[in-house]
C-alpha cells in the first residue's frame, strides 16, 4: 500500500522565481492538504483540496496556489519566491468523511531553499 | 482560535527511561480531535495516535500511552522504555469538528542516548 509521495525531494530557487511541488495521496484517499514547516517550528496549514476545489485556506498570500487533479494528486505553486519561503513543504492526504475527524497522513516533504 | 502549546522544547533521556511529553490545547469547540505525530530527522511526519474529545478513555498501544484530561485541556503522551530509535521531534496537533486543518504545537525534541 503506497503512502503519500512528494516530488521533488529538494529544490533550490532564486528570489522572484516560481516553483511547483507535487503530491500523490495515499491509496484510497481523496483529500490533500499542504503545510509549510519553517526550521524549528511546527507545520502551518496552507490549504486543503477536495473534489478538485480549494476547501479551506490558511493565512498565506495569493502567491501560494494549488490544484487537485481528477486522480486526487495535487500541486502547490508558489510565485515570486521570497527568502522567507525557504521551508519544508509537507503534503498530507486523508479520506474525507467530514470536517476535522479524518486522520491526515504525511509525505516525506520537499525541502525548498530560496537564495 | 485554536491553539496548541508544547512547553517542553527538548528532552534528553537514557535508553529504557520513560519519556512524557506535555501538550495543552485551547478550543471553543465541544467536539475536536487530538493527535500526536513523530518527525525523525528524515522529515516525514509519522502519525502515532489520535483521541476524540468525546472519548476520555486513556489507552496504551505498545510502548505508547496517552493521558487525555478534558478538565485541564491536556493531552500528554508517554513513551515507555525509550529506545534510540525514538529520537525525533514530537508534535501535538488539534483539529476542530468545524475545521479541516491541523493546528500544530511547536514540537518537543526527544533525544534518547544509548
Amino acid at each position: 500500500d503506497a503512502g503519500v509521495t512528494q516530488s521533488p525531494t529538494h529544490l533550490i530557487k532564486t528570489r522572484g522565481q516560481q516553483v511547483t511541488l507535487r503530491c500523490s495521496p495515499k491509496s484510497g484517499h481523496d483529500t490533500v492538504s499542504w503545510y509549510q514547516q519553517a526550521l524549528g517550528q511546527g507545520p502551518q496549514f496552507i490549504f486543503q483540496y477536495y473534489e478538485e476545489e480549494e476547501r479551506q485556506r490558511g493565512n498565506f498570500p495569493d502567491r501560494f496556489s494549488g490544484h487537485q487533479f481528477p486522480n486526487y494528486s495535487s500541486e502547490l505553486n508558489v510565485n515570486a519566491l521570497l527568502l522567507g519561503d525557504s521551508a519544508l513543504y509537507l503534503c498530507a492526504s486523508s479520506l474525507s468523511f467530514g470536517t476535522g475527524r479524518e486522520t491526515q497522513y504525511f509525505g516525506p516533504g520537499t525541502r525548498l531553499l530560496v537564495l | 482560535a485554536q491553539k496548541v502549546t508544547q512547553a517542553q522544547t527538548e528532552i534528553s533521556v537514557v535508553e529504557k527511561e520513560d519519556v512524557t511529553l506535555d501538550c495543552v490545547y485551547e478550543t471553543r469547540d465541544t467536539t475536536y480531535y487530538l493527535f500526536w505525530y513523530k518527525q525523525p530527522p528524515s522529515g516525514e511526519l509519522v502519525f502515532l495516535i489520535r483521541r476524540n474529545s468525546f472519548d476520555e478513555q486513556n489507552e496504551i498501544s505498545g510502548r505508547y500511552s496517552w493521558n487525555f484530561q478534558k478538565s485541564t485541556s491536556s493531552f500528554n503522551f508517554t513513551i515507555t522504555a525509550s529506545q534510540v530509535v525514538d529520537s525525533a521531534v514530537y508534535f501535538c496537533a488539534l483539529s476542530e469538528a468545524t475545521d479541516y486543518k491541523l493546528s500544530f504545537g511547536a514540537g518537543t525534541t526527544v533525544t534518547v542516548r544509548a
Side-chain angles (χ1 to χ4, degrees):
Chain A
D1 181 20
V4 180
T5 59
Q6 292 185 243
S7 63
T9 56
H10 295 80
L11 207 49
I12 299 175
K13 292 286 187 178
T14 56
R15 281 179 297 175
Q17 285 189 313
Q18 178 263 344
V19 68
T20 297
L21 310 182
R22 295 176 175 82
C23 172
S24 291
K26 185 178 169 70
S27 178
H29 285 183
D30 58 5
T31 302
V32 173
S33 303
W34 287 92
Y35 293 80
Q36 180 195 65
Q37 186 179 18
L39 196 62
Q41 298 182 20
Q44 298 293 316
F45 176 75
I46 302 175
F47 42 54
Q48 185 179 90
Y49 276 83
Y50 172 66
E51 292 189 338
E52 302 180 48
E53 296 286 335
E54 182 184 289
R55 182 157 71 171
Q56 184 177 354
R57 188 180 185 89
N59 294 324
F60 280 81
D62 292 344
R63 298 187 297 109
F64 289 77
S65 63
H67 188 78
Q68 186 179 35
F69 299 95
N71 66 352
Y72 307 122
S73 67
S74 177
E75 288 182 349
L76 164 64
N77 301 292
V78 187
N79 294 322
L81 284 167
L82 303 174
L83 296 179
D85 295 332
S86 295
L88 177 66
Y89 288 85
L90 294 162
C91 170
S93 74
S94 54
L95 184 59
S96 189
F97 294 112
T99 57
R101 68 197 67 181
E102 304 85 6
T103 296
Q104 296 185 23
Y105 295 87
F106 286 80
T110 294
R111 292 189 184 275
L112 173 65
L113 177 61
V114 182
L115 301 176
Chain B
Q2 57 195 32
K3 184 179 176 181
V4 177
T5 302
Q6 294 180 253
Q8 305 152 306
T9 54
E10 293 185 36
I11 298 176
S12 181
V13 298
V14 177
E15 212 170 14
K16 298 184 182 178
E17 288 185 347
D18 295 349
V19 180
T20 295
L21 308 179
D22 297 335
C23 175
V24 174
Y25 61 92
E26 295 177 31
T27 177
R28 295 180 180 177
D29 276 22
T30 55
T31 300
Y32 50 90
Y33 308 89
L34 295 162
F35 303 82
W36 277 97
Y37 286 86
K38 171 184 177 180
Q39 188 173 43
S42 62
E44 180 172 349
L45 274 171
V46 178
F47 165 71
L48 297 176
I49 58 170
R50 68 173 281 160
R51 174 56 58 196
N52 306 327
S53 60
F54 42 86
D55 182 1
E56 291 198 60
Q57 181 178 0
N58 292 308
E59 296 182 17
I60 297 174
S61 175
R63 295 189 297 111
Y64 299 152
S65 62
W66 49 96
N67 187 353
F68 174 44
Q69 297 285 343
K70 191 181 288 188
S71 60
T72 56
S73 297
S74 65
F75 184 49
N76 297 337
F77 175 70
T78 297
I79 305 171
T80 301
S82 61
Q83 300 174 3
V84 173
V85 293
D86 295 326
S87 296
V89 182
Y90 289 80
F91 290 96
C92 180
L94 166 70
S95 183
E96 297 173 328
T98 54
D99 209 349
Y100 294 105
K101 70 176 184 290
L102 284 170
S103 294
F104 287 84
T108 299
T109 300
V110 173
T111 302
V112 181
R113 308 186 308 277

